[in-house]
Amino acid sequence: MLPIFKSIPTHMDYKGQKLAEQIFQGIILISAGIGFVYGLIIEQFGWTVYIVLAGFAVSCVLTLPPWPMYRRNPLSWQPALPESTAEPSQKPQESTKKKKHK
Amino acid sequence: MNTVLSRANSLFAFSLSVMAALTFGCFITTAFKDRRVPVDIHVSKVMLKNVDDFTGPRERSDLGFITFDLSADILPIKPIFDWNVKQLFLYLSAEYGTKSNSLNQVVLWDKIVLRGENTKLNLRDMKSKYFFFDDGNGLRQTISLSLSITPQFSLLLRLRALVSS
């Protein structure tokens, strides 16, 4: 089961992450304000909790899956170096890199 | 925030902090209200016995049986069931002083009133629910009954006594 979940892409770029954070904070704060006022009016705190939970569910749907609006500024990576031309000079560097990673 | 789990983690933690702030706001709006309710108590019959008290030291103590009337309307113009109250715990306690103890308080009767139930109490000839034992033999003096209402908040516990009779 785990390999299937790992193959679904869930990344966002940095501006998308910032946008997602602002979106969920705004939604939860707005639903908390609405819920507080509504619970104060009808004198039941249960409705306040329900409204905040609804805001939580809406922000879950909006920010947890990686929608295309969060991927509008992708990072431009440099092109990968082909390995066949740089083999003799890169072998000791590769072995030291492997030691550092482990 | 680059994986689903870290986004879900920050979202959930933020929601919990917001809920805590809302709970505090709910407490602040109701903590300083005045919750006195006038009540009318009348004792109809008092019977006093002097029997063996098996719960304490082996001496004869006073045992009192009291039947009383009680009428109260807990829902006046300003409601007592605001959003911070889960249920009301009413109890009737007798307070008196004796030679050995300066202040005794004995609970005679209690009742739980849940939210949404009828709030007009009109009790006639209620018997005391619990035994009214005294440590010594001091029940022959006058006692004053006081009705105390304890609102059991869903958020905060608050004790308040209202006295009449």
Side-chain angles (χ1 to χ4, degrees):
Chain A
M1 201 169 68
L2 276 181
I4 300 180
F5 284 136
K6 284 199 178 169
S7 67
I8 302 176
T10 60
H11 59 273
M12 301 174 176
D13 50 42
Y14 290 125
K15 289 217 190 295
Q17 290 172 23
K18 180 177 158 189
L19 178 67
E21 183 167 348
Q22 285 173 347
I23 282 180
F24 82 70
Q25 282 178 353
I27 287 182
I28 288 187
L29 283 178
I30 287 177
S31 67
I34 292 178
F36 189 73
V37 170
Y38 187 64
L40 193 62
I41 288 176
I42 69 170
E43 299 274 331
Q44 280 184 12
F45 195 65
W47 277 98
T48 302
V49 178
Y50 294 149
I51 291 179
V52 171
L53 284 183
F56 173 75
V58 165
S59 59
C60 263
V61 168
L62 272 185
T63 62
L64 285 185
W67 301 110
M69 66 178 165
Y70 302 127
R71 288 188 183 169
R72 284 203 201 122
N73 299 328
L75 295 171
S76 55
W77 298 102
Q78 292 206 349
L81 288 174
E83 290 196 19
S84 56
T85 57
E87 244 189 29
S89 60
Q90 286 219 350
K91 261 194 182 172
Q93 292 181 9
E94 279 178 1
S95 57
T96 53
K97 273 189 192 174
K98 280 184 189 172
K99 280 185 191 171
K100 276 185 197 171
H101 281 306
K102 288 201 178 166
Chain B
M1 299 283 284
N2 50 352
T3 62
V4 176
L5 286 181
S6 69
R7 285 199 291 270
N9 179 29
S10 55
L11 179 64
F12 190 64
F14 186 69
S15 304
L16 278 186
S17 308
V18 163
M19 276 306 300
L22 281 185
T23 305
F24 182 70
C26 175
F27 155 65
I28 281 287
T29 57
T30 59
F32 305 109
K33 269 172 59 171
D34 184 27
R35 296 169 189 276
R36 272 184 248 273
V37 173
V39 85
D40 185 35
I41 308 179
H42 172 66
V43 177
S44 63
K45 181 177 70 170
V46 175
M47 186 171 48
L48 196 58
K49 284 191 198 171
N50 189 292
V51 297
D52 276 328
D53 183 7
F54 294 110
T55 64
R58 293 284 189 255
E59 286 173 358
R60 296 183 75 89
S61 306
D62 274 347
L63 173 62
F65 289 102
I66 294 190
T67 55
F68 60 94
D69 303 335
L70 172 71
S71 73
D73 187 10
I74 312 185
L75 208 66
I77 301 174
K78 52 172 178 60
I80 200 171
F81 271 110
D82 59 358
W83 70 342
N84 213 3
V85 174
K86 182 172 163 247
Q87 63 190 15
L88 286 187
F89 182 73
L90 318 168
Y91 61 98
L92 181 71
S93 70
E95 299 183 359
Y96 58 97
T98 59
K99 282 187 313 211
S100 49
N101 310 314
S102 64
L103 177 67
N104 304 298
Q105 285 174 331
V106 181
V107 174
L108 302 174
W109 169 88
D110 55 26
K111 179 177 170 52
I112 287 184
V113 175
L114 294 175
R115 251 183 123 126
E117 282 185 357
N118 189 18
T119 56
K120 279 198 209 289
L121 301 179
N122 217 349
L123 311 162
R124 297 262 170 265
D125 291 334
M126 294 283 303
K127 299 203 192 79
S128 58
K129 239 180 181 180
Y130 307 110
F131 294 124
F132 193 175
F133 271 112
D134 187 49
D135 276 346
N137 296 322
L139 267 191
R140 283 187 184 85
Q141 296 153 5
T142 56
I143 46 181
S144 71
L145 296 177
S146 64
L147 179 68
S148 302
I149 295 185
T150 310
Q152 289 185 358
F153 289 112
S154 52
L155 300 173
L156 187 68
L157 204 63
R158 186 103 176 261
L159 192 69
R160 179 187 57 83
L162 66 96
V163 181
S164 87
S165 99

